[in-house]
Amino acid sequence: MVQHAFAYLSQQRFLGAAASAENAPTPRFGVAGVAWDGAVTNRPGARFGPNAIRKASQMLCDATHPFFDLSPTADLCDHGDLYLPNTSLETMRAALEAQARTLLAHQHMVWLGGDHSITLSLLRALRAVHGQPLAVLHFDAHCDTWTDHFGEPSGHGTWVYEAVQEGLVVPQSFVQVGIRSAAEREAREYVNAIGGRVITARELRGLESPSQLAPITADIRARLAASNAPVYVTLDIDCLDPAFAPGTGTPEPGGLSSAQVLSLLEELCAMQLPFVGMDCVEVSPPYDHAELTSNIAALCVWTYLCARLASEKTVSP
């Protein structure tokens, strides 16, 4: 198959990390862009997300994290943006899953989206590589549990329902954080109904520091650990309030602050849990005032990588 380099594919590297190279040692972590927004229901532009996130990451200088006191750059390479079809959701998903399997066989991967429909392919690939369903930590304003996509069978608002129906995830270890959008009760409560946990944005109001969030993080940790399953993080940037992340396709007022999301990532992703990857999706640069959204997206990805390295350096008593 001929690989076409579309004009918007990013040539930058996250944190200035080295590009992947044949016959070179494989770093612990890999980053890849998924420049796709063919399943959005409101504002397009997430195909430009990987480029914007990478550009924002250049401002992290030597990438030494102020809390974890380490940098992930020596343990990281960037595979660039994947080559994907542009107009068909099903063919894109098949192509993404195949490429993801190859990368996941060798590295702990972080994916830069792209709209949230990409997560279904990534979960399919992870399920195949690890041979079991996954526990999922899902940051989002939207439940993404619809059984159809405005009359179509699939889209960026159906992937949770599809993942459960396909047996890709452990229902009891599926945790949603920041949910607040308009939705009928059946969709809104779907994850609770299957035995998981929905932590709404309202439930988090007034809780921002690690100490204030401690009961929440303890609950999330217990649920993620209960199944002994590999843990995956998917972070839809619209979990944040539009004041902090305006550059997204479907903004929802009343969301989380940057400090809340960073506190949760710092506390949870440094825990001794079997995390196997992360995606950061729905960054839409055309709507990003002052690059606020791409900056917090880069910060979240960087924090996840540093947290995982910190967890590996922790010596259990």
Side-chain angles (χ1 to χ4, degrees):
M1 182 179 73
V2 176
Q3 292 183 329
H4 297 283
F6 293 104
Y8 56 78
L9 298 186
S10 173
Q11 303 304 314
Q12 302 180 83
R13 306 293 170 186
F14 188 79
L15 298 176
S20 58
E22 293 183 9
N23 304 318
T26 303
R28 172 79 176 85
F29 297 97
V31 171
V34 186
W36 162 268
D37 63 4
V40 297
T41 51
N42 191 33
R43 306 190 304 198
R47 67 180 61 188
F48 304 113
N51 188 33
I53 296 170
R54 288 187 176 103
K55 182 179 178 182
S57 77
Q58 307 307 309
M59 289 305 297
L60 294 172
C61 300
D62 65 2
T64 301
H65 198 278
F67 178 66
F68 296 113
D69 198 29
L70 52 79
S71 170
T73 53
D75 300 278
L76 179 69
C77 74
D78 191 329
H79 298 276
D81 291 352
L82 302 184
Y83 291 99
L84 300 169
N86 256 29
T87 57
S88 167
L89 177 58
E90 288 309 309
T91 54
M92 182 283 292
R93 278 181 166 161
L96 172 55
E97 181 181 348
Q99 293 177 73
R101 284 199 194 194
T102 300
L103 294 172
L104 288 166
H106 303 287
Q107 285 184 298
H108 185 125
M109 290 295 302
V110 176
W111 313 91
L112 310 178
D115 74 46
H116 220 156
S117 66
I118 71 172
T119 301
L120 186 64
S121 288
L122 300 175
L123 290 175
R124 287 170 175 167
L126 285 159
R127 173 70 172 81
V129 169
H130 293 281
Q132 65 182 106
L134 290 98
V136 176
L137 175 58
H138 171 205
F139 291 87
D140 210 322
H142 308 93
C143 54
D144 291 354
T145 56
W146 300 100
T147 57
D148 69 88
H149 193 244
F150 292 90
E152 298 178 331
S154 189
H156 73 160
T158 63
W159 70 269
V160 174
Y161 178 79
E162 292 176 272
V164 172
Q165 296 301 305
E166 292 181 24
L168 305 179
V169 300
V170 180
Q172 296 79 10
S173 293
F174 200 106
V175 181
Q176 296 185 313
V177 180
I179 305 301
R180 63 189 182 278
S181 70
E184 61 185 26
R185 178 176 293 275
E186 185 177 0
R188 196 173 65 242
E189 294 290 333
Y190 179 78
V191 167
N192 282 333
I194 61 174
R197 174 80 159 93
V198 178
I199 301 169
T200 66
R202 188 177 191 276
E203 188 175 344
L204 293 172
R205 288 180 191 168
L207 307 176
E208 190 166 86
S209 70
S211 59
Q212 291 171 324
L213 288 164
I216 298 290
T217 55
D219 182 16
I220 294 172
R221 186 195 187 284
R223 289 174 179 276
L224 295 177
S227 59
N228 293 314
V231 181
Y232 186 71
V233 180
T234 177
L235 194 154
D236 187 324
I237 207 68
D238 70 28
C239 70
L240 289 150
D241 189 274
F244 300 93
T248 191
T250 314
E252 299 283 354
L256 309 185
S257 69
S258 297
Q260 283 179 306
V261 172
L262 291 171
S263 291
L264 289 168
L265 289 174
E266 289 165 357
E267 295 298 301
L268 289 165
C269 297
M271 289 180 172
Q272 297 298 310
L273 290 171
F275 286 90
V276 293
M278 174 196 186
D279 65 53
C280 182
V281 299
E282 300 285 355
V283 173
S284 186
Y287 303 96
D288 194 13
H289 171 68
E291 301 175 346
L292 296 174
T293 313
S294 54
N295 275 291
I296 185 57
L299 204 64
C300 288
V301 172
W302 174 53
T303 296
Y304 172 82
L305 290 166
C306 291
R308 293 316 301 150
L309 282 172
S311 76
E312 293 172 3
K313 296 178 185 297
T314 300
V315 178
S316 301

